Amino acid sequence: MAELQCLPPTCEPRVTDHIEHIIELITKIMENGKAYAMEGDVYFSVDSFPEYLSLSGRKLDHNLAGSRVAVDTRKRNPADFALWKAAKEGEPYWESPWGHGRPGWHIECSAMSAHYLGHVFDIHGGGKDLIFPHHENELAQSRAAYPESEVKCWMHNGFVNKDDQKMSKSDKNFFTIRDIIDLYHPMALRFFLMRTHYRSDVNHSDKALEIASDRVYYIYQTLYDCGEVLSPYREENTSVLVPAEEQDMVNKHHSEFLDSMADDLRTTDVLDGFTDLLKAINSNLNDFKKLQQKLEQQKKKQQRPKQQKQQQAQKQPEDYIQAMFALETEIKTKITILGLMPSSSLAEALKQLKDKALKRAGLTEELLQEQIEQRAVARKNKQFEVSDQIRKQLGRQGIALMDEPTGTVWRPCEPETE
């Protein structure tokens, strides 16, 4: 969880430390006439609580009582559920007003949430398979004891599927976070999970992780390139305003980000929303470098002021610098909120992403450089079929080659298909 940059919970309570609170809560429910004791067991009476099933929207005859455990014929209603169970021979137990026993499966959550958060709190999470019976019963217990009890927002997450099949140990299509981050950067996994709205099922596939990894690399590379260009200007004080076009982009992105996050965390839209800002950074980087080269050439040729005057309507270097500062700040601020800003430097994160790509490709840096050199020799000898074959094979392994004036460089990419 730390690798995925998930913040640790403030409290991680243990049920066994709260048996006293559980017994007090059951006693309160009984005092309010919503539960009954029977031979050491205590059951919640669903007939005494008209709100029951308000969370799931089910009807009592849909509950399939006894579908997982044998129905206790002593219960007043087959849907009544246990608040306290009498201990069987050899089972762990605690002392209670009803004899030796243990809590039922749902009461602990009502007791501990009330203890740490109060009877009214904002957010309750959990998988969508917990809506019924667990959360339904939890809500009923809490409100039966204290009618003011309320959860403002129930946030139920979808399942994780593997290649469109529900993940399960029995089907041997089960994997762990450790398995994934052995081959992919943790931020690639975090990005992949956020690509699907939390209430929907996530379909895990290698292709989807490759796409997420490629996207994270692009974000970090863009920010790194921008940071390198801006580093000489960070301490400068300037009165130059951010150009209107980029300022409008930043304002629009900020507003849309807040709207999407406020609307039940629409992270899919949020991640798509970075595209225009990243393109704008790269566009400004290219134009800024071209302008610098042009100004250098003019300086060498000592161009007359008349020719320079024609440039006044165009962006000046300081305009590009302020534009890139604004775009960089907006992206960094928002990906930090999303927990996607790497804990290391951008340079280190890019290296880690490249290392993971090499591992997935079954290559080392040395083996890759050998192939790059073989391709360079083939191109020099005009053996273009050989050089193309090397490039395509590496592309299928998730390695993209780029020929630059200083030589051939590589970056991870989504593996090319045949």
Side-chain angles (χ1 to χ4, degrees), residues 221-241:
Q221 186 69 63
T222 300
L223 290 174
Y224 176 79
D225 292 344
C226 184
E228 289 292 287
V229 168
L230 292 177
S231 61
Y233 309 102
R234 291 200 185 274
E235 303 303 319
E236 288 187 3
N237 290 319
T238 179
S239 59
V240 177
L241 298 175

Side-chain angles (χ1 to χ4, degrees), residues 10 25 40 83 92 145 155 176 178 193 208 256 264 301-302 307 318 328 371 376 394:
T10 308
L25 188 63
L83 301 177
M155 301 180 78
T176 65
R178 286 186 184 88
L193 291 169
E256 289 177 351
D264 201 21
K301 293 178 183 177
Q302 294 185 329
Q307 288 172 298
E318 53 269 28
E328 178 198 53
Q371 293 196 46
L394 288 172

Side-chain angles (χ1 to χ4, degrees), residues 18-61:
H18 292 274
I19 298 297
E20 180 185 345
H21 298 121
I22 290 169
I23 291 171
E24 286 174 1
L25 188 63
I26 295 172
T27 303
K28 180 73 173 171
I29 295 169
M30 293 184 75
E31 286 173 356
N32 290 347
K34 310 294 184 185
Y36 55 94
M38 244 179 5
E39 300 171 20
D41 296 335
V42 180
Y43 284 100
F44 185 93
S45 172
V46 298
D47 290 329
S48 69
F49 192 73
E51 294 176 50
Y52 189 60
L53 301 179
S54 61
L55 180 66
S56 63
R58 289 182 172 225
K59 294 180 180 177
L60 271 176
D61 57 354

Side-chain angles (χ1 to χ4, degrees), residues 373-386:
E373 286 164 20
Q374 288 170 17
R375 178 174 172 270
V377 170
R379 293 181 75 198
K380 189 176 180 181
N381 295 334
K382 294 188 167 34
Q383 296 172 309
F384 298 117
E385 195 173 316
V386 174

Side-chain angles (χ1 to χ4, degrees), residues 102-150:
R102 57 169 176 79
W105 289 119
H106 316 291
I107 194 69
E108 64 199 46
C109 297
S110 292
M112 293 192 295
S113 63
H115 179 74
Y116 289 97
L117 304 175
H119 298 303
V120 179
F121 55 93
D122 292 325
I123 297 169
H124 196 312
K128 63 182 181 182
D129 53 332
L130 298 182
I131 297 173
F132 181 86
H134 184 55
H135 290 161
E136 192 72 76
N137 292 354
E138 185 184 337
L139 183 62
Q141 293 163 166
S142 297
R143 291 181 69 83
Y146 299 96
E148 69 272 22
S149 296
E150 183 184 3

Side-chain angles (χ1 to χ4, degrees), residues 274-319:
F274 289 113
T275 303
D276 289 344
L277 297 186
L278 293 163
K279 282 181 181 175
I281 285 182
N282 284 313
S283 176
N284 275 280
L285 279 171
N286 291 332
D287 292 346
F288 177 63
K289 288 174 183 175
K290 285 177 186 173
L291 180 58
Q292 279 186 313
Q293 290 169 355
K294 189 175 181 180
L295 292 174
E296 281 296 317
Q297 289 168 356
Q298 287 178 352
K299 193 175 180 183
K300 286 175 185 175
K301 293 178 183 177
Q302 294 185 329
Q303 295 277 9
R304 296 182 185 278
K306 184 181 177 184
Q307 288 172 298
Q308 289 209 2
K309 201 169 183 180
Q310 296 171 353
Q311 303 292 326
Q312 292 301 312
Q314 297 179 8
K315 273 186 179 177
Q316 298 302 301
E318 53 269 28
D319 296 321

